[in-house]
Amino acid sequence: MVGLTTVFGSGAMTNSISDIEESKCILVIGSDTSSQHPLIAARIIQAKEKGAKLIVADPREIHLTLFADLYLPMRPGTDVALANALAKVILDQKLEDKDFLAQRVEGLEEFTQALKDFSLQDAEGITGIPAEDIEKAAVTYAQAEASAIIYAMGITQHATGTDNVLSLANLALITGNIGRPGTGVNPLRGQNNVQGACDVGALPNFLPGYQTVTDQRNRKKAEEVWGVSALPANPGLTLGEMMDAALGGRVQAMYIMGENPILSDPDTNHTRQSLEALTFLVVQDIFPTETAQLAHVVLPSSVWAEREGTFTNTERRVQLIRAALEPPGEARPDWQIICDVAKALGAFSLFPFNSAEEIFEELRKVTPQYAGMNYRRLAQGSLQWPCSAEDHAGTTILHTKEFPRGKGRLTPLKYKSSLEVPDSDYPLLLITGRVMSQYHTGTMTRRSPSLEEEFPRAFVEINPEDARGRGIVDGAEVEVASRRGAIRAKAQVSPRMRHGVAFIPFHFVEGAANTLTLRAFDPVAKIPELKVCAVEVKPVE
């Protein structure tokens, strides 16, 4: 979000999901797309069947590598080094889009100068990818008529996450792969309304529509619509900062809705201690999650089929849903619960809503990207933002003629290693992710017998060479330990893994992968380093 906003002025998927099939080259990096976004993976495979070249960069041989023209088995956390090397080849071989750069991009001279002393041999040493494969990938991406980049949390959930995103945006800018069908820089969001939550202001530094809270004009506009005065001018705390503040006594109460940080946040022991230190914890959710077990008050919410409202998905598509069922027992839609809590706190006049539609009508007044949408239009079909007026058809591709910030910005970057690297005590690099049949922290999917049967417990995937050296056989019970704690899991010995790398999905409370991860954060986006940490794996005696 922060990286793309810096480069383009907008932090969203630039193209549409259907547009992937128009690509002539697709670079997938930091995304096990088949497990995390299987419908989008199907689009990638369809593009491949139409003749597109597919490049996959990942420490594991994920499902998409079966279809890849080129697989780049990179060391975890070396994304900037790889992207810089790709850019270096493109510039050295004069494969850049000179017209696009001249007309729509700034910072080329500084960017080129920063790459001057960086070689393919340097990149091979850092990433572990043969120099000739890096060169082949760069040429393939640059020479294709339309090249797209697709990434997910394997890029963003690092202490260098913002740099990772900036480095991918650099590639798109120097080759002119922005603003056309089949191109773009396309982040895939982790859940079905992450984009929508960000759009409407669920970020500590933005009002709805990514309008910074530090800008007085933005605050004044929102104050007039909301009927309030003196909105805070300083950004609030991120989730990680809230946890630290709770443990330090600076935050005493927390209201958690639709989130299960006991499993999803880094360093589970620290997260638990932080929540237990609160004077008052409210959890609003559809099931009694691990986080809800710690709550002083639990507010039962309705599920998607029991409420009305909108979802905004990863391609900026706003979709209207209607309730098909009545909520059971005391469960109610989230907006009703929030309004009643606000009224009980004395803010009755600020929450006068009687329907989700009334809330959306207020939302479109403060969110420029949603201004042209309403329930009548959405009932006829979904719309993609920006949609600035009621006669606007929505936007399938961003940045076709110009960027919101004016010119796109190239960013010189230096590779920085992960904050925790292997040593004699913890010689393996752990990466975390998902499996297709389980979703996020398993709040919903682990209640499905058929899904649970497919992946019923935590496992650790490990390279055969690493397994032999530790006396580990496939299917054995093992202990995985880091400097933060230890878990038990089932060993999956697989040649899909790079030597020196292990993988654990984070869905399982019985073997919670985030017990192992560290509380390091990207200094700009404040995203935690969930994807890389040092561990050791040993057989259980």
Side-chain angles (χ1 to χ4, degrees), residues 27 55-59 70-74 82 86 129-130 133-134 137:
L27 169 61
I55 304 166
V56 175
D58 201 282
L70 188 59
Y71 170 48
L72 308 176
M74 60 193 295
L82 173 58
L86 295 172
I129 303 168
D133 287 346
I134 297 175

Side-chain angles (χ1 to χ4, degrees), residues 437-438 446 449 451-459 490 508 510:
S437 65
Q438 297 290 1
R446 297 203 69 192
L451 297 179
E452 183 71 355
E453 184 178 354
E454 187 169 350
F455 283 100
R457 62 166 298 185
F459 64 87
K490 180 181 177 181
F508 305 97
E510 304 91 340

Side-chain angles (χ1 to χ4, degrees), residues 383-394:
L383 293 165
Q384 287 174 273
W385 66 255
C387 180
S388 56
E390 292 189 19
D391 60 354
H392 192 286

